[in-house]
Amino acid sequence: MELQYFLLLAAALFCIGVYGLITSRNAVRVLMSIELMLNAVNLNLMAFSNFLDPGEIKGQVFTVFVITVAAAEAAVGLAIILSIYRNRDTVDMEQFNLLKW
Amino acid sequence: MNLAQGVQVVSLGLLSLMVLGAALGVVLANNIVYSAFLLGGVFISISGLYILLNAGFVATAQILIYVGAVNVLILFAIMLVNKREDFAPISSAWIRKGVTGLVCIGLFALLSTMVLTTPWLIASIPASGEQATLLIGEHLFSDFLLPFELASVLLLIALIGAIILARRELIVNEPASGVDAGLMLPERPREGVAVGSDP
């Protein structure tokens, strides 16, 4: 039960999340990739909290806050995607150029 | 290595395989419904990893909030945006995927060398274990009281904002016309559909 295993696993999960965030074209899948990255960060925080600070577990408190913010982010993000879908009639990320030029 | 340590190592390996396989499935699957269910698998596996890290409360919160709320919300969004469209192929998409893969592999190499070369100060005192829930409660109501209250305000703001963003704008006073006018509420005409057609 080494700290390094958990950190390597979290790094791999974060990189998979970054790959999905950039390459996927469905807007809902982009939100799923963001959730993957947030979970990788949570895993990092929990590993540090268990191995480096087991007496006063502040990492777990931070994880609870990150979970809260992730829930709010998912709700608002899906509402935005629904609103864009209603206006533009597509969920293709390549078509979302409202703020581009 | 005694029996408990062996069980822990085997569980860690199995859960890591499940997390990585399901995450790759989320990113690479063609059907987005499969992606959503595999995302639930990732969340459940990560809660198992939290139990390995002596954090039962956060593991329970993970299952309740992520699997019970966020994943169900994503499934509802997939059902509401249920449009089977084939995305128009863009030129040189493979360059984008190749460059992104290279950047991600480089990032992983950087992070793993950092993890493996840093001398971590592993604490020697035993983990909190069952006292973790009590400690989290004490932290939330003493030194993390202000972030706790701010989180509640943030949740309220997100709730109201999501409702306002996602609702349909209905016309209340105007009587509807048409055959099945009694079955539907009149909706304000959309803007921006024509804007979306031209690049």
Side-chain angles (χ1 to χ4, degrees):
Chain A
M1 302 303 291
E2 289 287 328
L3 172 64
Q4 281 88 352
Y5 296 154
F6 285 96
L7 295 185
L8 284 177
L9 177 64
L13 193 60
F14 189 83
C15 291
I16 292 173
V18 170
Y19 181 80
L21 180 72
I22 297 178
T23 58
S24 58
R25 295 184 65 183
N26 197 326
V28 182
R29 200 185 297 244
V30 171
L31 271 184
M32 291 193 222
S33 303
I34 294 175
E35 298 293 333
L36 283 184
M37 292 162 66
L38 282 167
N39 268 286
V41 173
N42 276 347
L43 194 56
N44 246 339
L45 284 174
M46 297 291 282
F48 283 139
S49 148
N50 187 42
F51 286 103
L52 306 184
D53 181 27
E56 190 182 358
I57 40 172
K58 289 189 175 169
Q60 297 194 18
V61 185
F62 269 90
T63 306
V64 171
F65 284 130
V66 172
I67 287 176
T68 311
V69 175
E73 175 260 349
V76 175
L78 290 172
I80 289 173
I81 285 178
L82 211 61
S83 169
I84 290 178
Y85 173 70
R86 220 176 266 146
N87 280 323
R88 309 288 292 251
D89 208 21
T90 182
V91 285
D92 189 1
M93 290 297 285
E94 295 295 320
Q95 306 281 327
F96 296 164
N97 49 10
L98 281 170
L99 294 178
K100 208 163 155 192
W101 46 64
Chain B
M1 180 183 289
N2 54 17
L3 181 63
Q5 284 175 338
V7 168
Q8 281 186 354
V9 168
V10 170
S11 324
L12 176 63
L14 276 180
L15 286 170
S16 309
L17 279 182
M18 280 168 65
V19 166
L20 290 182
L24 282 175
V26 169
V27 172
L28 299 176
N30 281 322
N31 196 339
I32 194 165
V33 182
Y34 295 165
S35 292
F37 281 107
L38 283 174
L39 189 68
V42 174
F43 292 156
I44 292 177
S45 312
I46 284 181
S47 102
L49 286 173
Y50 288 171
I51 293 175
L52 276 183
L53 287 172
N54 302 311
F57 173 73
V58 187
T60 316
Q62 165 95 2
I63 287 190
L64 275 178
I65 296 174
Y66 269 113
V67 184
V70 173
N71 206 6
V72 171
L73 196 65
I74 286 175
L75 276 171
F76 267 98
I78 289 172
M79 282 194 281
L80 287 173
V81 191
N82 188 12
K83 185 184 180 191
R84 300 217 172 267
E85 60 174 344
D86 295 324
F87 297 136
I90 51 174
S91 59
S92 68
W94 62 275
I95 292 181
R96 186 184 305 186
K97 287 190 178 177
V99 169
T100 312
L102 277 181
V103 167
C104 290
I105 290 173
L107 183 63
F108 178 68
L110 197 67
L111 285 173
S112 51
T113 45
M114 186 274 293
V115 165
L116 293 177
T117 54
T118 307
W120 301 104
L121 292 173
I122 305 290
S124 54
I125 58 175
S128 302
E130 294 298 318
Q131 298 294 314
T133 314
L134 284 175
L135 279 172
I136 289 174
E138 283 176 5
H139 277 303
L140 281 184
F141 283 102
S142 59
D143 48 352
F144 287 99
L145 183 60
L146 183 64
F148 181 67
E149 302 290 342
L150 280 181
S152 65
V153 175
L154 175 76
L155 279 178
L156 181 66
I157 292 170
L159 182 71
I160 297 173
I163 291 173
I164 287 179
L165 277 175
R167 71 169 179 182
R168 294 164 184 266
E169 296 190 0
L170 298 175
I171 303 171
V172 182
N173 295 323
E174 211 168 292
S177 61
V179 181
D180 51 353
L183 294 178
M184 52 191 299
L185 288 168
E187 190 174 345
R188 186 167 295 171
R190 301 172 185 164
E191 300 169 6
V193 177
V195 180
S197 57
D198 56 345

